[in-house]
Amino acid sequence: MATEFFVPQLGQTVEEVTLVKWLVKDGDKVDFGQEVMEVETDKAVFPVEANGKGVIHLGPYKEGDVIPVLTVVAIIGSAEDHFEARAAAGKSKSAAPAVEESPAAQTRAAIAPSTTPAQQQKRFASPRARKLAAKEGLDLSLVTPSGGGGVRVKERDVIAHLQQVPKATPLAQRAAQEAGINLQGVLGSGPGGRITKNDIARALEARPAAPSTAALPEDEVSERIPLKGVRAVIAERMAMSVHTTAGVTLITEVDASEFVELREGLKSSLGERWGFSPAYNDLLAKIVASALRKFPYMNARLAGDAIEHLAQVNIGIAVDTERGLMVPVIRDADRKSLRVFGSEFRQLVERARNGRSLPEDLSGGTFTITNLGVYEIDAFTPVINLPELAILGVGRIHPKPVVRNNAVAIRQMLTLSLVFDHRLVDGAPAARFLQYIKQVIEEPYLLLFE
């Protein structure tokens, strides 16, 4: 009997993959553990190994196709077997089980326009997305899909949509629907900011005439690059972060002279013995890990209507690769020695730049550091890496004249930018967290007494 070869579950949050290439041809003989195809998730490229021995018969999937996980893409058996399309392995075609509607379900149902059964069938969605939409009474046709090249709704799309649904009276909902007005752009004047019918009327009066648009002539476009793969995922996540967080930036200048001396001393004394020289990112990560233990409210995330303080300190450090921005995560960073941290981080970076990261390499972070100092950037405003609470931007270290003890001196200065979600923490507590990081960079020996 032929063995079904399917796309494996590459991480808890991965719902679909892109087929990069087949490593075998239809009708080839394969053995257990042989690499058969390469697939790309939102994080990296992974080889998929054969789960059987015999002749492989490929399904109708080609390079660039987006395929849900657990989909049977080939069979491995005898030369006489042939591939037949099947549903995703382990997936049930039955309707989602009945779930209790939330109190907001009727409100969203009032906003939703009527849709025909045909329209409903054209909206592809993951099982988790359908379950959440059913629970919330949400019409999936209202949700902007991000999966499958923009045709398949994912759970995160439903969550983003639910977070954006404004409060409005039933009359306002009906008036907005009839006028074709998006409630997102209407300022509510009712109790608690609720949108009223009068608000819709004012929005209708203020609506400008649609401007005429003209397509850019073809000869003025030098290159057209499809927004897909890792770049599409980055675009989606950055937009979601900007639109769903209340991001605030704190900027401080740090005297990093002692920090630079510490790093140079470690480099000369430990570089040969360790096999690598401790870098600024290694030292910064250890300082930030210490700060997260001292100020646990910064090591948190928003989960529904609750703020969760996290038990582990998992530091992600942004890395530039040919495939785009990757964020390898070092788990329990506060408990690792500098040597173990640096060694583990370099292994993660090597895998990321070779496109061989494992799912766990790039997930589970609780705080991210991004350093653009190598590009001579002084300060910038990074985007929070959801679902984390904050991200630290690090600029270049460079000599600068500053006033010390009523005299001008040349010091090695560094600018730090902390972006945090104001929904979860206020400015003063976030400032104390950043102030501690600044203090330890200026006096690194303080780490010895933590």
Side-chain angles (χ1 to χ4, degrees):
M1 183 176 178
T3 300
E4 293 182 335
F5 174 73
F6 55 88
V7 178
Q9 184 81 50
L10 299 168
Q12 295 180 348
T13 62
V14 177
E15 296 182 344
E16 61 191 12
V17 301
T18 301
L19 175 57
V20 177
K21 65 179 177 180
W22 287 105
L23 303 177
V24 296
K25 296 179 181 178
D26 187 67
D28 282 355
K29 290 184 178 181
V30 298
D31 203 348
F32 285 101
Q34 179 180 341
E35 294 183 356
V36 171
M37 69 175 182
E38 286 187 346
V39 297
E40 181 182 42
T41 68
D42 58 352
K43 301 181 182 297
V45 175
F46 300 95
V48 182
E49 299 177 349
N51 57 342
K53 179 178 181 180
V55 177
I56 189 166
H57 301 274
L58 307 183
Y61 302 101
K62 59 185 183 300
E63 292 182 10
D65 283 355
V66 177
I67 308 171
V69 297
L70 304 182
T71 297
V72 177
V73 294
I75 60 170
I76 302 173
S78 66
E80 291 74 27
D81 290 322
H82 63 279
F83 178 87
E84 292 182 4
R86 299 174 186 269
K91 299 285 184 178
S92 171
K93 290 186 178 181
S94 60
V99 291
E100 183 180 353
E101 281 193 349
S102 70
Q106 292 182 347
T107 300
R108 278 188 283 274
I111 300 176
S114 59
T115 55
T116 65
Q119 288 174 318
Q120 291 278 16
Q121 291 173 1
K122 290 180 181 178
R123 176 65 83 220
F124 300 104
S126 71
R128 290 204 297 262
R130 290 190 181 280
K131 183 176 180 180
L132 179 58
K135 179 181 178 182
E136 298 295 332
L138 175 64
D139 182 353
L140 282 172
S141 67
L142 300 177
V143 180
T144 302
S146 65
V151 299
R152 187 167 183 263
V153 177
K154 295 185 175 183
E155 183 183 30
R156 62 176 176 237
D157 301 326
V158 177
I159 293 173
H161 182 88
L162 293 175
Q163 290 176 338
Q164 295 171 3
V165 175
K167 296 179 181 178
T169 66
L171 286 177
Q173 295 164 10
R174 191 176 301 113
Q177 181 180 334
E178 292 173 354
I181 291 178
N182 185 351
L183 290 174
Q184 285 296 131
V186 180
L187 183 64
S189 62
R194 186 179 296 274
I195 299 171
T196 66
K197 185 178 179 181
N198 290 336
D199 297 325
I200 299 299
R202 284 191 290 270
L204 191 58
E205 292 175 0
R207 180 158 47 176
S212 59
T213 58
L216 195 65
E218 285 290 332
D219 57 359
E220 293 187 18
V221 178
S222 63
E223 184 179 9
R224 183 177 177 81
I225 303 173
L227 187 61
K228 62 180 183 179
V230 173
R231 187 73 260 163
V233 172
I234 292 174
E236 174 193 345
R237 289 184 174 175
M238 294 301 99
M240 184 179 295
S241 178
V242 170
H243 288 98
T244 60
T245 62
V248 176
T249 305
L250 302 178
I251 298 175
T252 189
E253 194 172 41
V254 184
D255 184 345
S257 301
E258 298 293 332
F259 187 63
V260 171
E261 287 188 17
L262 171 65
R263 191 258 174 172
E264 290 301 317
L266 293 173
K267 180 179 177 181
S268 62
S269 62
L270 299 175
E272 185 175 348
R273 192 193 318 169
W274 287 5
F276 66 89
S277 297
Y280 288 121
N281 278 343
D282 301 323
L283 296 169
L284 282 169
K286 291 297 296 177
I287 292 173
V288 170
S290 172
L292 291 170
R293 275 288 172 232
K294 190 175 182 68
F295 303 92
Y297 54 78
M298 294 299 295
N299 194 50
R301 66 187 176 195
L302 183 63
D305 57 355
I307 299 174
E308 295 180 341
H309 290 177
L310 305 173
Q312 285 185 293
V313 173
N314 301 335
I315 301 292
I317 301 180
V319 175
D320 183 33
T321 74
E322 291 183 356
R323 299 179 59 252
L325 185 68
M326 299 289 174
V327 185
V329 175
I330 296 87
R331 285 170 167 74
D332 296 314
D334 58 319
R335 300 177 184 176
K336 289 183 167 70
S337 68
L338 181 64
R339 181 175 186 175
V340 171
F341 181 98
S343 177
E344 185 176 324
F345 177 58
R346 279 153 184 77
Q347 293 174 20
L348 293 171
V349 170
E350 183 179 3
R351 288 205 291 266
R353 288 181 171 158
N354 291 333
R356 297 296 177 182
S357 294
L358 304 174
E360 57 269 24
D361 290 353
L362 306 169
S363 61
T366 64
F367 190 96
T368 296
I369 299 171
T370 176
N371 190 338
L372 293 180
V374 68
Y375 301 106
E376 299 185 353
I377 300 299
D378 291 324
F380 59 104
T381 304
V383 177
I384 297 171
N385 187 16
L386 291 177
E388 297 168 14
L389 182 153
I391 184 171
L392 182 68
V394 182
R396 64 172 173 163
I397 299 175
H398 64 117
K400 187 176 179 180
V402 295
V403 176
R404 288 289 184 273
N405 300 321
N406 295 322
V408 176
I410 302 298
R411 307 291 291 177
Q412 297 288 340
M413 303 303 293
L414 163 68
T415 301
L416 299 177
S417 308
L418 176 69
V419 181
F420 66 95
D421 190 343
H422 210 319
R423 298 177 302 169
L424 281 69
V425 68
D426 292 330
R432 286 193 287 271
F433 171 78
L434 183 59
Q435 184 182 43
Y436 172 82
I437 295 173
K438 168 187 169 76
Q439 183 181 12
V440 177
I441 291 175
E442 292 183 338
E443 302 174 275
Y445 64 84
L446 292 175
L447 272 181
L448 298 174
F449 303 97
E450 286 299 321

